[in-house]
Amino acid sequence: MTEAQVLSEQQPLLYQQLQKSFEHGRLAHAYLFEGDTGTGKKEVGLWMAKHVFCTNLIENNPCNQCNNCTRINENEHPDVLRIAPDGQTIKVDQIRELKAEFSKSGVETAQKVFLIEQADKMSVGAANSLLKFLEEPEGKVLAILETTSLAKILPTIQSRCQVLHFQPLNKEKLVNTLETSGINKNTALLLAELTNSFDKAVEISQDQWFNEAREIIQQWFEYLKKDDSQAFIYVQKKMIKAFKEKEQQALSFDLLLAYYRKEFTDSVSNEQIKRVIEQQAQRIELILKARQKWEANVSWQSVCEQLVIRMIHPKTVIGG
């Protein structure tokens, strides 16, 4: 998939905006791309660099075949420079080398492009050095900075860049991106129900407690699905030991909702009988109400136990 395809599919509004900027010759001299990992920031940066140097634009997109496009893809174009963290940070010497390189005229044209990955990893010295360069760029320069954390970028750098916000991936694209990163499909589907942030999804998937909690809630879900009274005992025997913190208890509801929403979606797609679909919808509503009670400071254990009763024995419930 070319960068243009990634951009047009994942970030259609940005794609249209940048295309118009190229068409009307209104590019800013510096851009700051802000958004989650996997939302297309790197691809857009390369697309812009190739757009500047491509000798055979096709429908206002780089051809990906000319000598310039090929060299940019292979990181061999003399007027396109990329900087990434050296270890944990981007060091001041890296920015100084960049400035020294850009103080020379372009090797092949007057234009130069530089891309800085993980710009939030710049040391204080590196950030201040870059700031001076952005204030007084030498020659025809296009600067592209990428970050997943806008708050960690100096406000003075932000003010000298056009900040472009990359929207989170929709569920289908997030699942595909997570699978590409090595997460199995079932886990990716579950994570996509919990967050639309790729970074957060990966962080959650690597948390040992989360993986244990997921299995616990999945077992609870299985008991509830079968109207098994073990679901009530399970809260006392297993769940209260695992879900002690407020944040963990919040996630217990999110996980249960995720399993029920998937069940509901599968029921609709399989055109199961109306009664089953209605039951799934009612149970999702019960989970949402249970969470509201918990948020109103009702004991988490009590809320979970009441939820079991409301699901399995709804006619025995008295009052709200």
Side-chain angles (χ1 to χ4, degrees), residues 6-48:
V6 171
L7 178 53
S8 61
E9 287 185 15
Q10 294 187 1
Q11 305 294 336
L13 294 178
L14 284 184
Y15 178 67
Q16 294 172 15
Q17 178 183 342
L18 290 170
Q19 281 284 34
K20 287 181 180 177
S21 295
F22 274 112
E23 286 174 13
H24 299 294
R26 294 177 183 167
L27 280 185
H29 79 281
Y31 289 88
L32 178 55
F33 295 169
E34 182 269 327
D36 292 330
T37 301
T39 50
K41 298 189 300 298
K42 184 175 182 179
E43 289 83 358
V44 175
L46 289 174
W47 175 80
M48 291 183 73

Side-chain angles (χ1 to χ4, degrees), residues 168-289:
L169 301 176
N170 64 37
K171 284 184 182 178
E172 183 181 350
K173 294 195 187 313
L174 177 56
V175 169
N176 291 337
T177 306
L178 288 169
E179 284 188 87
T180 301
S181 73
I183 294 174
N184 70 62
K185 185 166 186 176
N186 285 336
T187 303
L189 287 167
L190 179 61
L191 291 167
E193 288 290 342
L194 300 175
T195 179
N196 59 5
S197 162
F198 175 85
D199 291 337
K200 186 64 176 176
V202 171
E203 179 187 334
I204 293 171
S205 72
Q206 294 172 345
D207 186 307
Q208 184 179 352
W209 176 86
F210 167 77
N211 289 303
E212 293 171 0
R214 178 184 61 180
E215 292 178 5
I216 291 171
I217 297 298
Q218 185 172 18
Q219 180 59 65
W220 194 37
F221 166 71
E222 293 297 333
Y223 285 141
L224 291 168
K225 191 167 71 167
K226 296 172 185 174
D227 290 341
D228 189 333
S229 295
Q230 284 290 326
F232 189 90
I233 301 169
Y234 193 70
V235 174
Q236 303 164 4
K237 288 178 64 177
K238 190 80 174 179
M239 290 171 58
I240 58 173
K241 297 175 185 175
F243 297 90
K244 296 177 181 178
E245 305 296 329
K246 198 84 172 172
E247 194 173 304
Q248 295 172 342
Q249 292 171 357
L251 188 61
S252 69
F253 295 114
D254 293 340
L255 282 166
L256 188 61
L257 273 172
Y259 283 119
Y260 266 106
R261 281 171 176 153
K262 185 178 185 305
E263 184 83 359
F264 179 79
T265 302
D266 291 345
S267 297
V268 173
S269 62
N270 292 333
E271 297 182 352
Q272 291 189 12
I273 57 176
K274 184 178 179 183
R275 183 183 63 79
V276 174
I277 295 173
E278 287 178 349
Q279 184 193 55
Q280 301 300 343
Q282 288 167 359
R283 292 195 165 187
I284 287 172
E285 185 177 353
L286 285 172
I287 297 167
L288 292 170
K289 287 181 177 178

